Amino acid sequence: MTTTDLPTLQTIAIIEAHIPCRPARILEIGCGDGAVAARLKSNGHEVIAIDSDAKAIARARERGLDARVASWPDFDAASIDVVLFTRSLHHIRPLPEAVNRAKQVLKKGGRVLVEDFAFDEMDTVSHDWLYSHLARLDAGGLLRRPGDGLAEMLLQHHGSHDACHFERDHELHTAPTMLACLREHFSRVDELTAPYLYRYISAILEDTQRGYAEAAKILDLEKRFAETNGATLIGRRFVAHSS
């Protein structure tokens, strides 16, 4: 196992826990390089993976996936058991059309699974916790620098709280906005919280077995951090049920 496997395996676990049938016909929207889709395919599911990034789709196809360059909701699909938004729904506009189209392509009894994050709910305690671990790992030479995203911004700005505006400046849909839209279209939507800060660290940790061990440790510490300090877990998972 290497570092990038850990977030993927966490995603797979929540998907498998809510798949309505096996094997399932799954449409993943925002598949990136196909890491999640490839795992689902190896588990026996039929997977169609789409992304608007042609380079990402090329890497996904190298994994042997049915991967297509496409944008949502402008994509033809039908008889889908699971529509999966893997950290992609927060980008997609217009949001109501995206959710409604997902409902339309589902079979009766299907699910829309959304894995996302509540970026606007990261408080100062969580911010400082994240930076302290980033600084420790960077001092130990375990991080790939320069990296991308919030983790790199925090390191560059020495933990300044202003770095958190990096996420807010991207005009992303908030978690409450996505949840409200799902509930407008589905009679039942389950909401779950999950660790997410470890993903920022995993994104720039060295991609080795040692990096995997560190990422797993951070994941466990984040769970304990929430339990003992009352910190908010900013990961969000929404499960919408088609009747």
Side-chain angles (χ1 to χ4, degrees):
M1 293 288 185
T2 58
T3 310
T4 54
D5 291 315
L6 183 65
T8 298
L9 291 173
Q10 294 295 305
T11 299
I12 293 297
I14 192 66
I15 296 168
E16 290 287 3
H18 291 91
I19 283 178
C21 59
R22 287 176 172 76
R25 179 172 161 84
I26 301 172
L27 172 63
E28 183 184 11
I29 300 168
C31 67
D33 67 2
V36 169
R39 293 270 182 178
L40 291 170
K41 182 180 178 182
S42 70
N43 287 355
H45 302 293
E46 178 188 353
V47 185
I48 302 169
I50 70 170
D51 201 291
S52 59
D53 186 332
K55 291 182 179 179
I57 288 298
R59 294 194 296 273
R61 286 173 178 166
E62 290 173 358
R63 298 177 185 267
L65 294 167
D66 178 1
R68 313 179 197 181
V69 179
S71 296
W72 191 259
D74 302 321
F75 180 75
D76 286 333
S79 299
I80 302 295
D81 295 304
V82 175
V83 175
L84 175 61
F85 293 95
T86 41
R87 297 174 305 284
S88 58
L89 188 58
H90 59 252
H91 287 297
I92 301 176
R93 296 176 183 276
L95 182 60
E97 283 82 346
V99 172
N100 186 55
R101 180 63 180 145
K103 182 179 181 179
Q104 289 174 350
V105 304
L106 283 178
K107 292 180 183 177
K108 184 177 181 180
R111 305 280 190 274
V112 172
L113 302 183
V114 178
E115 182 185 55
D116 227 294
F117 67 120
F119 59 89
D120 55 328
E121 294 184 23
M122 185 187 295
D123 55 24
T124 57
V125 175
S126 297
H127 174 284
D128 294 340
W129 182 91
L130 175 59
Y131 176 67
S132 69
H133 287 289
L134 284 167
R136 173 181 63 82
L137 293 166
D138 192 37
L142 292 171
L143 300 184
R144 294 173 289 176
R145 301 288 308 280
D148 294 317
L150 178 61
E152 181 62 31
M153 293 291 290
L154 281 170
L155 288 166
Q156 288 182 7
H157 291 84
H158 307 289
S160 169
H161 290 184
D162 291 338
C164 279
H165 292 296
F166 174 81
E167 299 285 15
R168 296 183 174 92
D169 290 343
H170 282 63
E171 297 185 356
L172 309 179
H173 300 305
T174 65
T177 297
M178 290 184 285
L179 179 59
C181 188
L182 286 164
R183 285 180 168 160
E184 286 177 4
H185 290 83
F186 293 88
S187 58
R188 177 185 169 188
V189 181
D190 301 325
E191 178 185 14
L192 306 168
T193 60
Y196 196 90
L197 301 181
Y198 81 99
R199 287 181 178 269
Y200 291 117
I201 298 174
S202 298
I204 63 172
L205 261 173
E206 63 176 37
D207 199 22
T208 62
Q209 288 185 340
R210 182 173 65 161
Y212 180 93
E214 287 290 344
K217 184 189 301 181
I218 294 296
L219 172 59
D220 183 59
L221 289 171
E222 185 176 354
K223 293 175 181 176
R224 296 185 188 183
F225 178 56
E227 291 170 357
T228 60
N229 293 279
T232 300
L233 291 172
I234 67 168
R236 291 293 183 276
R237 291 154 176 181
F238 307 132
V239 184
H241 300 250
S242 175
S243 55

